[in-house]
């Protein structure tokens, strides 16, 4: 077994302090986590607990003050576009590019010819229900469609690791549930290793193999919970209700702490 097969992502005791005008803020304190190949791990916790910071450190976009990140056996020293793709809540599409050309943007930077870019982009957009929308501009697409285009753009890079920061956070609840179902399918087809940030219990339970519950700031790992339920998940099942109650107990405690410390 190679190092990459053993663990695509190893987070070792990372901490991060930000300097702000009102003093230093410790956002993340001593977080460790090993993500297994093909695993879907959610980071769950109250707003401001450092979830995005952990994800940005994994993505090499924020440098930890202590500890380190190891990607497929190599200590990370910055963004690694060959191995790690990111998708954020704000789809961040180029308004002057069509859906197809937004998806092909990274491929263009990699120097792929137009015909090949088109083939890859269409191959991603079609199963996402965006067949016929490839020539549309972002302003002509719904919020859910724009978000799918952004995710297609991240998938187009064909990296083994995908990091997603509340990618469905701006969508209405129904669209969000459908996008979750869709992501379960994408994941099955592409076998990526995914780290997914959310503050939604339901979303974490619907999608994850494991849920990392974070404490209120400074963010630490409070608990790591396995979700050994088959996909697609029945969100009305008693197992889900039990899990939700257990998770809510933990998240509630941390959300209260977060509210008290910001009061
Ligand atoms: N670039 C930054 N500069 C200063 N403070 C920041 C910065 N990014 C995040 N923070 C602070 O760090 C803490 C954790 O933020 P973040 O990682 O975004 O949490 P979450 O994603 O869980 O909401 C928050 O208090 C936030 O205000
Ligand atoms: Mg965040």
């Amino acid at each position: 077994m190679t190092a990459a097969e053993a663990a695509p992502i190893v987070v070792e005791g990372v901490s991060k302090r930000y300097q702000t005008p009102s003093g230093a803020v410790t956002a993340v304190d001593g977080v460790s986590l090993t993500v297994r190949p093909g695993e879907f791990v959610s980071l769950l916790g109250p707003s401001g607990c450092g979830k995005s910071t952990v994800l940005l450190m994994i993505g090499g976009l924020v440098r930890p003050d202590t500890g380190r990140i190891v990607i497929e056996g190599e200590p990370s020293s910055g963004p690694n576009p060959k191995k790690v793709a990111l998708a954020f809540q704000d789809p961040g599409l180029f308004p002057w590019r069509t859906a197809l050309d937004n998806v092909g943007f990274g491929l263009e930077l990699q120097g792929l010819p137009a015909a090949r870019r088109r083939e890859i982009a269409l191959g991603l957009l079609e199963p996402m229900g965006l067949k016929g929308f490839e020539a549309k501009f972002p302003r002509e697409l719904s919020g859910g469609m724009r978000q799918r285009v952004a995710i297609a753009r991240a998938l187009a890079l064909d990296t083994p690791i995908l990091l997603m920061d509340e990618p469905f956070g701006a969508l209405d609840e129904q669209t969000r549930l459908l996008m979750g179902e869709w992501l379960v399918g994408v994941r099955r087809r592409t076998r990526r290793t995914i780290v997914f940030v959310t503050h939604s219990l339901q979303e974490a339970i619907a999608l994850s193999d494991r849920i990392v519950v974070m404490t209120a700031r400074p963010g630490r790992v409070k608990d790591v919970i396995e979700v050994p339920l088959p996909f697609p998940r029945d969100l009305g099942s008693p197992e889900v209700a039990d899990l939700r109650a257990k998770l809510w107990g933990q998240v509630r405690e941390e959300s209260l702490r977060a509210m008290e410390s910001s009061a």
Side-chain angles (χ1 to χ4, degrees):
M1 198 190 268
T2 68
E5 280 162 352
I9 303 170
V10 179
V11 177
E12 278 177 8
V14 297
S15 303
K16 178 67 192 173
R17 272 155 73 92
Y18 291 111
Q19 301 301 327
T20 71
S22 50
V25 172
T26 302
V28 173
D29 186 22
V31 166
S32 294
L33 172 71
T34 297
V35 183
R36 303 163 192 148
E39 195 177 24
F40 192 119
V41 172
S42 286
L43 305 179
L44 177 72
S47 178
C49 75
K51 304 180 293 296
S52 295
T53 300
V54 171
L55 204 75
L56 291 169
M57 288 194 283
I58 296 173
L61 298 172
V62 164
R63 183 180 279 275
D65 296 327
T66 68
R68 63 175 194 162
I69 306 286
V70 182
I71 301 292
E72 294 194 334
E74 302 260 328
S76 158
S77 58
N80 190 343
K82 288 204 169 67
K83 291 190 175 161
V84 184
L86 290 106
F88 299 97
Q89 174 171 335
D90 174 356
L93 300 176
F94 297 117
W96 60 87
R97 284 177 163 248
T98 61
L100 190 87
D101 289 342
N102 265 290
V103 176
F105 177 69
L107 304 174
E108 204 172 314
L109 292 185
Q110 290 175 356
L112 262 70
R116 181 75 188 117
R117 297 201 302 266
R118 185 179 170 81
E119 188 184 353
I120 293 173
L122 285 178
L124 287 162
L125 289 171
E126 282 189 22
M128 290 181 182
L130 288 168
K131 189 176 162 69
F133 291 90
E134 58 273 6
K136 301 277 188 214
F137 290 92
R139 64 172 181 277
E140 301 175 287
L141 302 171
S142 70
M145 286 176 171
R146 283 200 287 272
Q147 199 52 262
R148 274 176 278 170
V149 172
I151 296 168
R153 179 181 55 188
L155 288 170
L157 297 172
D158 203 22
T159 58
I161 296 169
L162 183 58
L163 307 178
M164 306 178 93
D165 194 348
E166 309 214 25
F168 312 140
L171 306 177
D172 64 75
E173 194 188 351
Q174 290 81 346
T175 311
R176 191 171 179 155
L177 287 170
L178 289 175
M179 292 293 291
E181 288 178 12
W182 166 84
L183 186 58
V184 166
V186 168
R187 189 215 160 177
R188 197 171 43 228
R189 286 193 299 277
T190 67
R191 296 170 199 284
R192 307 291 165 100
T193 300
I194 300 178
V195 182
F196 187 95
V197 164
T198 183
H199 59 255
S200 160
L201 302 173
Q202 166 119 325
E203 200 165 63
I205 295 171
L207 301 177
S208 315
D209 298 314
R210 276 191 300 161
I211 301 172
V212 176
V213 181
M214 290 180 64
T215 65
R217 200 181 71 213
R220 301 191 179 100
V221 175
K222 183 178 175 77
D223 200 1
V224 180
I225 294 175
E226 302 265 352
V227 189
L229 303 173
F231 293 100
R233 289 185 173 153
D234 173 4
L235 296 178
S237 71
E239 290 90 345
V240 164
D242 285 352
L243 191 59
R244 196 187 157 84
K246 176 176 175 184
L247 274 176
W248 174 233
Q250 297 190 344
V251 172
R252 181 175 184 277
E253 201 171 283
E254 296 310 317
S255 300
L256 280 173
R257 280 187 46 210
M259 280 171 74
E260 279 156 16
S261 65
S262 65

